Amino acid sequence: MARPSLWTCRPDHVHAPAATIAAAVAALSALPAADPTDRYAARRLTVAWLAEAESPHTRTGYFRDLAEFLCWCQRQHLDPLTARATDLGQYRVWL
């Protein structure tokens, strides 16, 4: 028997995390502005990616790591959506 997901077991928590995640992602100024007409906009995909994490600790860690990377990109005057392997290598060295 498959284990039910956290959201199935506690339906009262279904909508609150998405709103919280969306608000947190909205505060990431390094991501391109939200575009409600673009199904695959960076902010929308970021919210979906973070919402998939079942553990709130995992979600928090992913968000913290993403925010740190985006801050690094801003300091480097680098668009995170155009970062190349070399840029990611420089980021890893900086860590």
Side-chain angles (χ1 to χ4, degrees):
M1 177 180 220
R3 185 181 79 136
S5 76
L6 174 66
W7 307 120
T8 303
C9 296
R10 295 176 25 195
D12 56 314
H13 288 78
V14 171
H15 299 293
T20 303
I21 294 167
V25 170
L28 295 172
S29 62
L31 286 178
D35 179 356
T37 64
D38 184 359
R39 180 182 184 121
Y40 300 105
R43 287 180 185 273
R44 189 172 187 176
L45 291 177
T46 302
V47 170
W49 169 64
L50 290 170
E52 288 177 357
E54 290 185 22
S55 165
H57 300 291
T58 299
R59 187 178 309 114
T60 300
Y62 286 174
F63 181 83
R64 182 181 53 243
D65 292 346
L66 175 62
E68 186 172 300
F69 173 70
L70 292 174
C71 286
W72 179 85
C73 286
Q74 282 185 320
R75 287 192 300 273
Q76 300 298 315
H77 306 287
L78 173 67
D79 177 351
L81 299 181
T82 62
R84 296 182 178 194
T86 301
D87 300 314
L88 298 176
Q90 291 175 353
Y91 174 67
R92 284 192 297 270
V93 168
W94 176 82
L95 288 173

